Structures are given as structure tokens and as C-alpha cells.
Amino acid sequence: MSPRHVVLLIADQFQHQRLGTADPLARTPHLDRLASEGVNYTGMFCSNPQCTPSRVSMQTGLYPHEAGVLAIYGFRGHTGHLSPDRLTVGKVFRDAGWTTAYFGKSHLGHPLDALGYQHVQEHGVSSPLSAVDRTVTADAVRFVAEHDPEQPLFLTVSWHEPHPAFEHVAPFDEHFPPEEMPIPATYDDDLIGKPPYQAERRAMPHGGVGLDRLRDELSSYYSMISHIDSLVGDVRGALEARGMWDDAVVLFTSDHGDMMGAHGFRLKGVLPYDELYRIPFVLKVPGLPVERSVVDDLCVNVAQPGTLLAAAGLPVPAEMSGGSVLDRAMRPAPPADECVFLEHYAAYWGLHPFRVARTRNWKYVRHFGETPWEELYDLAADPGELRNVVGRGDLAGTRAELRRRVDEWWESTDGRDLAYYESDDFRNWGRATLVSDNALWNDAATSQ
């Protein structure tokens, strides 16, 4: 069966490990069903654990620093956002003859009609988020009901949950009593040997989290995830009613994760841990000759736009240098020498620029700027990233090799130094055209 429609479903701040396929406590029957029909990429990471930079990668196939969007606009005075001059996945589908429609959160800093989307209904932050997301879904369902099934459709439905403000969403919350929520094994991390800013951030009012608050937020988080899962079911039902599901490429993913008590932290930003970077990526492609339905290869969401295009039978433009991971499911095993690269620049907890090289067994973090800290984690022996072993003499070779690899990647992708990114020219490059997502995000940037 040749795919006709492409459906992109995006959650916000959804950890990979909270899928029902990974967590027996989670209740995500619709996403579990999608995984059974397609491919579950369990080693997918976001390029940057902040909303706007990651979403730029999801549109362009570029790392945030390649697109000039290192932080959520507004942080530290940066006004960089997704420029309409960039090639986006929406533009490619539109130009190839697909109808393009986008419902929900964008947070890209520019009206979506200039980014390739012909039918747009954005929704901003209001409380409760569950009500906003039901409206997003209703808009998308209404559009599908009126769409001609013979016309190829690229549909994006982008929800706000389980992003803060956390809420207990009925009736799902009855399954997640706060007193029964499991505390992460790394909660009591002493942070000894790690960059000092981590302890400083955990001491901030919104950085660390006590056990009572954590249990309550975990309960809310699980219920919000179950609510999103139910909305996935609503979108599926609308597509099935129009005969558009079976021949549709469908991807469910998120822009980043959340600490959720890991290492004693809450929320996101300025930290290199997998809880923030590892994201769900569940893909259904009709007719794909699959060797593995669970792909644990290390991947980065710079490959997301190219993967959708390849799944629809379209060529991946050279400008989308992130490529595609579609072929990973058609291979019997991961590549022999896996290494992916991640980045971070700044968040509401401050300026902490770093770049990451991650292999299956090692994570190396190279901070750049005023204090060039380094971190090295032996993921085979220490999957929780509790002990920074960068100073061990017997690991000097591993440290040097990963440092070489991440520096070569940074330079080959036109990565610069802190002075460049903090210069007025760079910080202000988008000021003339920046809009606040049609005034939806103007007052909400500091909550991201």
C-alpha cells in the first residue's frame, strides 16, 4: 500500500519512558496499539531539550545552532526564531501537492502560513491545558471530517500536555494515586563531581522537588499522558471514519522530556540527562518492509522531517541534513559505531551552553563558555548518570576520543564559540520579524 496521508502527532514534555510499551504503570492503549502496528524507535533523542530549538529541528532537519535558534526566544534577550527563509517539512509537502494543516501549539516564532501550512489553528497557553488540548483535537477532527480523502493530507496535531502547569485530569487520575507513584532511583543523587551549577539549580525554588510534590506531579503527569493518549484515539477515529487511516503514515513524538524527580530535579533545561533528551518516536508506515519493530538505534529528531518525507515516498532535500531514519527499521541491527550529538544553550535557569556526544555505552558533555566543565558517564555501568568519571586516568583515551568527535561535529556544522552567540548581532538577528506565535506566547515564554 502506498502512503497517501501523513499525520504528525506531537506532545510537549513527554518522556519516552512513560509510554505503556516501556512503563507498566502508564496507560497508553492507543499509543501501544500504534506501536504494535508500526515501529517503536526507542533510542530517539531530541536535539535540544527546550521547546523552540527542538521544534525548529523537527521542521527543518537542522540542529538548532545550524538554524540559528539556540534558545526559546526571550531567554537572555535572544530573538532568534524559525525564519520563513528556511526550508520546512510543511513547505516540501505543500509544494509536492499535499494539503498541509496544523492544529495546536507551534512555538516557532513565526506565523505558520509562511512556513508551509495552508490551514492553521494555533492555540496558546491557558488553564487547564487539558481543555485547550480537547479544543485542538476537536478542530483537527472537524477538519478531517470535511477533507476529501482522495487529496493527500499532511496533518499536524500538536498538543500542550503533559507540559506544566500539571493537572490531575479526570477520569484518568483515578489510576494514579499520588501515594503510589514510584520515586526515580536517582532521586538522591549527591551531584558530587558534577558542574556546580547543577546543585545551585536544584536549590532554586523551581529546580529541586520534595517527595510530596514529586508524587503529586508524577500523578498529574501520568494522567495528562493518558489524556493525550485518548486524544490520539480521537484523531485516529476521525481518520478511520473517512477511510484515511490505513494508507496514512502516522508519527507520534514529543519535543523533549522532563526530569520528573530524576537526580532530584523537576521540569527541564540546562541539564544533560537522558530524562530530558530521550523522546517517544512511534511510526506507522504502510507497506514498509520491517526487519525490526523495535529499533533501539541511537537517533536524533533532526531526522524527523526527512523520515516523514521518505515514508511518503518523497526525496529528502539536501538542506535537511538530518536525513531520515526510515531505513533503520529495514536493517537487522544497529550500526556498529553509533554516536549521536546533542546540544543545549540557555534556559530560564541561566546560560549553560554545552554539546554532547552519546554512544551506547558513554556520554560525554563538553561545556563551553566561561567555565569549560566536562562530564563523562559510563552508561554500561552507570545508566542513571550518577557518577562523573571524566577525571579517571584509565578513561583518558575514551574522553579524548569523544571530545574529538563532538568537536569535529560542532565545527563541521558551523558551531561557534560563546562570544559569537552572545554578540548583539546574533542575539538580535530575528528582532525585526519576530512575532509571539500570533500573540499566543508573548506572556508565556518564561513558563516554558
Side-chain angles (χ1 to χ4, degrees), residues 3-22:
R4 175 174 296 159
H5 309 294
V6 179
V7 180
L8 173 58
L9 307 173
I10 306 172
D12 192 327
Q13 210 150 321
F14 190 130
Q15 290 180 324
H16 160 267
Q17 68 206 60
R18 305 299 174 180
L19 287 169
T21 53

Side-chain angles (χ1 to χ4, degrees), residues 2 11 14 17-18 24 104 118 168 181 187 192 203 221 227 236 283 294 331 368:
S2 298
F14 190 130
Q17 68 206 60
R18 305 299 174 180
Q118 299 158 316
H168 293 274
M181 293 299 99
Y187 175 78
I192 293 173
Y221 194 65
H227 182 235
R236 175 177 186 144
L283 178 68
V294 177
R331 301 175 185 173
F368 63 98

